[in-house]
Structure formats: C-alpha cells, structure tokens
Amino acid sequence: MQWYINAVFYELYLRAFADSNADGHGDFAGLRQRLDYLEWLGVDCIWLLPIYPSPLRDDGYDIGSFYGIHPDYGFLEDFRMTVDEIHRRGMRIITDLVVNHTSDQHPWFQEARRSKDSPMRDFYVWSDTDDRYADARIIFVDTETSNWTFDPVTSQYYWHRFFSHQPDLNYDNPKVRQAMLDVVRFWLDMGIDGFRVDAVPYLYEREGTSCENLPETHDFLKELRHFVDTHYPGRLLLAEANQWPQELLDYFGAGDEFHMCFHFPVMPRLYMALARQDRSSVVQILDDTPAIPEGCQWAVFLRNHDELTLEMVTPEDRDFMWQTYAADTHYRLNLGIRRRLAPLMDGDRRKIELMNSMLFTLPGAPVLYYGDEIGMGDDVTLPDRNGVRTPLQWIDGPGAGFSTAPALYSPVIGDAVYGYHQVNVQAQQADSTSLLHAVRRMIFARKNLPVLARGSLEWLHDLPLQTLCFWRRSAEGAVLALHNLSDQPLDIPLEPGIVFSDALYPDVGPVSGSVRLEAYGCRWLLPEAG
Ligand code: GLC
C-alpha cells in the first residue's frame, strides 16, 4: 500500500505554530522544536500552508516568488533542515503549490503589466473588455464583483478567479506550463514528499463554459503527474478541487492524474447529519461517490484554514447550515462559515469526538487542522478567515507558549471557554481523559486498522436514521463503526454469534448481543478471529 493511502495528515499553518525568535511569527526553527509533539500525536504527514515570499494579502496564497521562503519563516536552509528532521522522525511533509495565480507583486506580473509588448505579457490573461468568460462564477463573493480587473497601466483588464490582487496565470502559454514544472522540480529537489495543489479546477478559460474542470486543465495536470512520476516516483499530488463527486473523479484520471483529492461534498454533510440527527445526507453522498482508481485515495477533513465551505450543498441545505451553525451572521463568509470545529459543536466533547470518529472510520485519509485536536476556538472579530488561524495554544502562560514577543501576528484566543488558560496542549497532554488523548487514541487505532483506508463500505440500513453505522471490510480485516447522532442513548443489536472487541478501548472486554451507544456516542468494534 502506498504511504499516503493510510496516512494521517496534519494541516499546519507555520505562522501560527511556534515562534523561535520572538518576532511574533511562527517559523521553521520553532516548528523543529515542536516536532516531538507531532510525532507523539501520531501524525504521518504534515501539510504546510504557503511559505513563499508574499505580500500576505491572502495569507501567502498570493505568491511573490516561487523560489524562496518568506523572511518571517527563516531561510531556505531552515526549510531544508526542517524537511530532514521531519524525515528523520519517520514523518513526511507536503507543501502548498499555488498553480492558478500569483500575487500582483510577483515579478512576472510586474513585468507583464508594464506594456502590451512585454515579453511576459502572455503569462497572464488580458482583455480589452470585461465581458469575456461571463459564465464563470465569482468565488470570493463577499469581496469581488467581477473576475476581471482594469489595469490602468496598459488600459486592459486581467483575469482572476480569486482576489483582484491575484492575477491568473495563462496556461495556454507553454512557457507558463514549463515555468510551473520548474517550480515543482525545485521543491521536490528539496526533498519534500509532494504537494497539496491549490485551486486546480480553474487553470484554463474557454468561452461559453464555467471555466472549471476543462479538458485542457486535466491535460496539464496529467502532464504534471507524468513529470512527477518520471523524476520523483513516490511523491504525492493532492488536489484542492471544490467540486461534486462526479467532477472530482476526473481529477484522479485513470490513476494518472492526482493520487489524492479532498472530498469536499462529504464534509458539510457530516455537520448536517449531526444537526438533523439523520444520517441520510452522508449515506447519499457516499453512495453517489464513484469508486476511485487503484493507488488513489480521498482526503477527508472536518475543518481547514478556509471557511467551512457550503458550495457543494443545495441552497436549502446551505440555509439550514447557516441557521444552525452561523445564526450570528458575522460567522458567515462567502458561501461558508468561518468557525472552528469545537465552537461549531458548542464545545460538546461528545460531539467533537463523534465527528472525529466519523472522519476516521469513513473512507479516505483523515486531514486534521492544527489546534482542532485540542478543541481550539475562533475569533470572529478578526477579518476574513484570520479568526481560525490564531496561534496554537501550547501552555497556560504568556503568549500561550507560542511566542514571547510583545506583539503577535494575531491575538491568541483568550476567551473564557476556548482561551489558552482553559485549552492548551500541555494541560491536555498531562490529562489522559482530555480531547487530545481521545484524538490521539483514534489516530493510533486507525493506523492499526488499514482496512479503514480502502476497505469496502456497507451501511447498516435497518437501524434508525439517528445512527450512522457501517462495516468496513477488506482482506486486511473488518471494522464495525457505530455512531449515535442523537442526544438519547440507543441500543444497537449486533449480529448474533459474533463476539467483538473494542478497537478504541481494548480493556472494555468482549461485546456481543447488543451494545449501548450513549448520546452522541461512538464505538469501533472488531469481530474477534475464530
Ligand atoms: C485556495 C486556498 C485559499 C485561498 C485561495 C486563493 O482556495 O485554500 O485559502 O484564499 O485558494 O488563493
């Protein structure tokens, strides 16, 4: 089995993680000092958010140069040392690769906008009018009114799918395609294990289409995969494509495009199922999810650095999600919700564990978002998505143990429920009944159960809708995963004649006949051999 198929991923925002030089920003030296923690937690692969030089108007997704490290984070040598240290500990690391656009401060764009005759002009997409590609939706609806922005220097418009300061690269230009392969080579030569490839559906534009998922885009992505396979076999390409299952499937190609894709549609449905105490939406979307080629895997997640996206639900379901989880409209952003997992669950430990249990037992490799393993909160007073990107809370002490600087890049969460006095790594590491230990227990149980990676999925349809219960089976074994979505205890009848053990709490002893699930309870049961 390829390494990523049963890996546990940890999404890590370097600026928020650990500040070694007291400048208020996390950095590589800080991360190196804290690798013990990630190893202890059982993380297999770290996914680093963008670390490139950047004006930071989109937190580094606005790249100012593909060939360096943001000065806040250290030197390129620091990066290399960090990669080596991660590998020495038996973990892996992938980084964000932003292929669709650059910052408007990138030298390519600076040169391109200089004149219509600039040799770099064709690196970007220009037009005399702002009415082309009118069928392409706007993604950042709260900030942008058009995908075109007028550039007074040459009196033409340039194309951008995200912020207006992020011009899209022109993939019709072979030089752009080659330039991106050069970037890929540079970073893979540094020894990283692959990329989370950002915003992949939008690379090409064609009149009369939505400008998403175009055949030309897939052609380039296959070229990228071929390049990686040829020169760097075993490295991972993970796609960020916020699309429905059918379209997502195309990003795996015939096993010759991405190794992994985030399963965007399943994520909001886990929240919906819990709020409605009804499994139907989760069952439906996974039943609609086609089988993926050999050697491929889904990446599943509960939260990430962006808003909890509601793009892949119906308008009715979006309203339901907003009413339920963001009744206060300050929590809404674009088509999503800018909150972290713990506050979304009202801080209810049972619900947080239940959500994690579904994440760990349904198909796919789980991707955790830094801080959610201790139940960190968010800060809605911060703009955009910054409220879910606050410093990791290490200790109940100054700067939460993140930094000793007088001023931090972001305030630490300090409220009475989720603040660092109450919620921090140190206290939870010391307490075997903490959320952190519960999450860690799931991580290690999961690693011992490779059937959870690619085993079949068989629903227990006869049970009440308030349950999400299913078998995972493969040649490597079987797991019966039981979840109670309701606020009442439920007794679940088990198949007669089978004796089970408990994969999360092996000391519980054999289970047979039936099993009680407490309100929001979950169990991972293993049929005993023989
Ligand atoms: C991706 C990133 C998001 C960023 C956007 C534009 O969707 O996840 O954080 O803002 O790309 O770069």
Side-chain angles (χ1 to χ4, degrees):
M1 182 150 61
Q2 292 91 333
W3 66 267
Y4 48 84
I5 300 250
N6 196 30
V8 175
F9 290 78
Y10 186 91
E11 179 184 356
L12 192 150
Y13 178 39
L14 191 61
R15 191 174 299 283
F17 205 66
D19 172 16
S20 72
N21 60 351
D23 68 352
H25 302 266
D27 46 47
F28 279 112
L31 170 57
R32 284 202 299 280
Q33 289 160 12
R34 298 288 191 175
L35 287 174
D36 277 351
Y37 169 63
L38 298 178
E39 205 181 334
W40 173 83
L41 186 58
V43 169
D44 295 306
C45 184
I46 296 166
W47 153 30
L48 269 192
L49 297 189
I51 43 150
Y52 313 89
S54 161
L56 299 178
R57 295 179 69 191
D58 185 15
D59 231 344
Y61 283 94
D62 49 334
I63 291 181
S65 164
F66 286 102
Y67 291 102
I69 297 290
H70 194 285
D72 290 346
Y73 294 150
F75 298 104
L76 207 50
E77 203 47 38
D78 272 304
F79 177 77
R80 288 190 88 120
M81 282 161 63
T82 308
V83 171
D84 288 348
E85 183 59 23
I86 288 167
H87 285 160
R88 198 183 63 73
R89 291 163 181 265
M91 295 187 284
R92 288 188 163 86
I93 174 170
I94 62 172
T95 62
D96 239 295
L97 178 73
V98 184
V99 285
N100 181 66
H101 48 266
T102 67
S103 161
D104 60 3
Q105 301 304 307
H106 194 290
W108 293 346
F109 190 72
Q110 290 292 312
E111 170 57 37
R113 84 184 330 176
R114 214 169 41 82
S115 102
K116 284 187 188 167
D117 303 324
S118 161
M120 301 298 283
R121 188 73 174 175
D122 274 351
F123 261 54
Y124 297 87
V125 181
W126 300 93
S127 170
D128 288 330
T129 60
D130 63 357
D131 54 3
R132 291 166 66 204
Y133 313 134
D135 298 329
R137 69 190 167 117
I138 293 167
I139 296 169
F140 286 163
V141 285
D142 286 359
T143 32
E144 302 301 327
T145 50
S146 167
N147 289 324
W148 291 105
T149 288
F150 186 69
D151 186 38
V153 184
T154 52
S155 296
Q156 277 195 320
Y157 295 85
Y158 62 86
W159 177 251
H160 55 86
R161 291 309 299 270
F162 294 93
F163 288 122
S164 58
H165 56 76
Q166 284 167 322
D168 273 36
L169 288 162
N170 174 20
Y171 275 82
D172 276 317
N173 181 351
K175 288 189 182 147
V176 167
R177 303 198 294 269
Q178 186 55 49
M180 201 47 73
L181 295 184
D182 292 343
V183 169
V184 164
R185 179 190 292 282
F186 177 81
W187 289 100
L188 291 178
D189 280 344
M190 297 269 164
I192 60 167
D193 299 283
F195 297 104
R196 176 260 193 192
V197 192
D198 184 70
V200 293
Y202 318 109
L203 302 189
Y204 283 80
E205 301 73 39
R206 291 292 179 262
E207 206 54 72
T209 74
S210 67
C211 299
E212 298 184 18
N213 315 318
L214 295 178
E216 294 85 346
T217 293
H218 286 291
D219 289 346
F220 172 71
L221 294 170
K222 285 194 171 72
E223 192 184 330
L224 169 65
R225 170 66 180 268
H226 181 70
F227 178 81
V228 170
D229 279 357
T230 307
H231 303 287
Y232 306 93
R235 314 284 179 102
L236 170 69
L237 292 174
L238 161 61
E240 186 214 18
N242 192 351
Q243 302 287 332
W244 292 96
Q246 273 305 334
E247 279 74 41
L248 272 173
L249 188 68
D250 293 338
Y251 287 92
F252 293 112
D256 58 356
E257 209 166 309
F258 283 94
H259 305 85
M260 295 181 73
C261 294
F262 285 103
H263 199 313
F264 276 93
V266 78
M267 181 274 296
R269 287 168 177 79
L270 296 172
Y271 292 88
M272 269 157 50
L274 180 61
R276 291 184 170 137
Q277 310 202 0
D278 178 342
R279 66 171 173 261
S280 307
S281 57
V282 174
V283 171
Q284 181 72 52
I285 201 74
L286 286 171
D287 284 351
D288 288 349
T289 298
I292 55 178
E294 197 53 40
C296 292
Q297 178 62 307
W298 293 108
V300 287
F301 62 104
L302 297 172
R303 287 296 293 113
N304 63 18
H305 64 291
D306 288 326
E307 67 273 29
L308 189 168
T309 167
L310 300 173
E311 281 167 73
M312 293 302 123
V313 298
T314 62
E316 296 74 41
D317 284 343
R318 187 175 308 137
D319 279 338
F320 171 79
M321 285 289 288
W322 269 333
Q323 302 295 341
T324 311
Y325 291 109
D328 175 345
T329 53
H330 294 105
Y331 289 123
R332 302 180 190 180
L333 178 71
N334 299 318
L335 293 188
I337 300 172
R338 50 193 196 123
R339 300 218 74 182
R340 269 189 180 266
L341 176 64
L344 285 165
M345 296 294 108
D346 295 320
D348 188 330
R349 261 289 293 279
R350 301 169 302 175
K351 293 187 191 174
I352 299 171
E353 284 186 39
L354 179 71
M355 290 292 279
N356 273 296
S357 174
M358 293 193 283
L359 180 75
F360 276 91
T361 54
L362 286 168
V367 184
L368 307 180
Y369 183 49
Y370 89 93
D372 281 350
E373 74 275 19
I374 55 170
M376 263 173 59
D378 43 50
D379 183 347
V380 76
T381 66
L382 300 175
D384 200 0
R385 293 149 290 180
N386 297 4
V388 301
R389 302 178 183 181
T390 61
L392 185 57
Q393 297 162 201
W394 293 99
I395 61 168
D396 175 9
F402 157 72
S403 171
T404 55
L408 309 182
Y409 77 92
S410 151
V412 178
I413 302 285
D415 65 59
V417 181
Y418 302 105
Y420 63 98
H421 299 303
Q422 291 77 21
V423 176
N424 63 68
V425 170
Q426 189 179 53
Q428 293 197 24
Q429 262 186 320
D431 173 4
S432 64
T433 67
S434 65
L435 173 63
L436 177 59
H437 274 271
V439 171
R440 182 171 181 260
R441 191 173 301 117
M442 286 189 203
I443 292 176
F444 279 91
R446 155 93 200 202
K447 284 176 197 279
N448 287 329
L449 296 170
V451 53
L452 291 177
R454 287 291 313 256
S456 66
L457 174 66
E458 298 158 32
W459 305 113
L460 271 58
H461 282 297
D462 293 340
L463 295 174
L465 283 176
Q466 301 97 296
T467 63
L468 183 82
C469 298
F470 49 89
W471 279 98
R472 303 293 311 277
R473 287 186 221 265
S474 73
E476 289 151 319
V479 177
L480 178 61
L482 305 175
H483 298 99
N484 180 2
L485 303 168
S486 81
D487 53 4
Q488 300 296 319
L490 278 171
D491 289 317
I492 307 287
L494 299 173
E495 277 176 55
I498 306 188
V499 178
F500 294 87
S501 61
D502 190 306
L504 286 176
Y505 297 91
D507 297 344
V508 167
V511 182
S512 62
S514 79
V515 62
R516 166 151 291 213
L517 293 181
E518 298 303 332
Y520 304 119
C522 59
R523 301 287 293 267
W524 301 8
L525 298 183
L526 307 178
E528 281 186 4

